[in-house]
Amino acid sequence: MPAAAGPGGRKPLISGNWKMNHTHLDAIAVVQKLAYSLSPADYDRAEVSVHPAFTALRSVQTLLDADEVPIALGAQDVYFEDSGAFTGEVSPVMLAKLNVAYVIVGHSERRQHFGESDELVNKKLLAVLRHQMRPILCVGETLDEREAGTTEPKVLGQLEAGLQGVPAEAMASVVVAYEPIWAIGTGRNASPEDAEAVCKSVRAWLGERYGAGVAGQVRVQYGGSVTPGNIAELMAEPDIDGALVGGASLDAERFAQIARLGQPAR
Ligand code: PEP
C-alpha cells in the first residue's frame, strides 16, 4: 500500500460492511466489479476494505489474492477465544489464516440485537490485536442520547471501555468508527460539522490517553448513511479519516464512487 496521506499523514479507510447480505457468489461478483471500477489512483487516495459475511470470506480472499486486488479483506465480528466449545462462533485464528486485515468490533447492531457489552467488545478488540489484525471499534449514541446532550460522554465512555488494556504501541493499528445509531440505515447522515465535532473529541481523548503522536496516527471513520452524494463533504473535515459504509457498499458502483471520495473516475 502506498504511504499514508491526508490530515496528519493518515490515509483514509473506506470500509464496506455488507452485514447479512450477499451469498458467497454475490460477494465474488461485487468484488470483481469493484476491482474493475477502481484504479491505482483510487487506491492511492484511500485504502478500501470489504467485510462480507463469514460464509463469503474464503471466496473473496481467494479472488483478491489470485488477482492481486489491493482491497483489504475484513470481517464483521469475531469471538475472543482462539478455539474451543463455542458453538457458532468464529475465532481470530480462523480470520487471521484467511488474511483478514480488519475486524469490526462493537457494531451497534451487535450491541443492540445481541446484547454485546463494552466488556465483551474489549475482549474481542484485544483478540484481534493479538492476532496482528486491525480492529475497527464502533462507537456512537442513540437519538435520545443526542437529544439529551450526552453524545460525548456516551462515545468517550465506549472508547474508554473498548480500549482497556491497549498499549500505545498497538493503538495506531486501531481504527475508531464513529457511528451515530440514529444515522445507521436511516438515510439521515450526521451533518459534516456534527460528525467532525465528535471525531475531533475522539482524537482529543486519544491525545490525552496516548499522546498527540499516537492520536495523530489513529484513523477515525464516520459511519451512518454515507452515500456517493455526501462522502466528499464528510471527507473535507479534518478529523474524519474515512467511512464505514453499510447499505451503499452493497452495490459495486456506488461503493466505488464512495471509495473515490467523491472524485470522478479516471
Ligand atoms: C453500518 O452498517 O455501519 C452503516 C453505517 O450502515 P449504513 O451506511 O447503511 O447507514
Side-chain angles (χ1 to χ4, degrees), residues 196-244:
E196 166 64 15
V198 180
C199 293
K200 192 174 176 177
S201 297
V202 165
R203 202 176 306 287
W205 184 91
L206 291 170
E208 279 167 31
R209 170 62 62 95
Y210 292 103
V214 170
Q217 285 178 286
V218 174
R219 287 175 295 180
V220 183
Q221 295 176 312
Y222 165 77
S225 298
V226 173
T227 65
N230 59 29
I231 185 67
E233 57 184 22
L234 287 161
M235 289 304 303
E237 299 293 340
D239 289 290
I240 299 179
D241 308 313
L244 182 53

Side-chain angles (χ1 to χ4, degrees), residues 83-165:
S83 63
F86 302 101
T87 301
E89 293 298 319
V90 171
S91 92
V93 176
M94 296 166 181
L95 297 183
K97 209 64 183 167
L98 284 168
N99 295 342
V100 164
Y102 291 97
V103 183
I104 297 170
V105 294
H107 191 282
S108 63
E109 287 155 14
R110 302 271 346 146
R111 295 180 192 257
Q112 270 185 318
H113 305 315
F114 303 98
E116 290 200 4
S117 64
D118 280 333
E119 192 191 6
L120 178 59
V121 171
N122 174 243
K123 285 182 176 170
K124 291 182 174 194
L125 182 140
L126 293 173
V128 172
L129 288 173
R130 207 164 53 239
H131 290 278
Q132 285 74 52
M133 297 178 288
R134 294 167 174 238
I136 298 178
L137 170 62
C138 299
V139 295
E141 82 286 2
T142 63
L143 190 55
D144 284 352
E145 288 163 339
R146 171 154 286 264
E147 285 172 350
T150 57
T151 297
E152 196 167 299
K154 169 70 182 294
V155 166
L156 300 185
Q158 286 180 323
L159 209 55
E160 163 104 51
L163 294 174
Q164 283 295 311

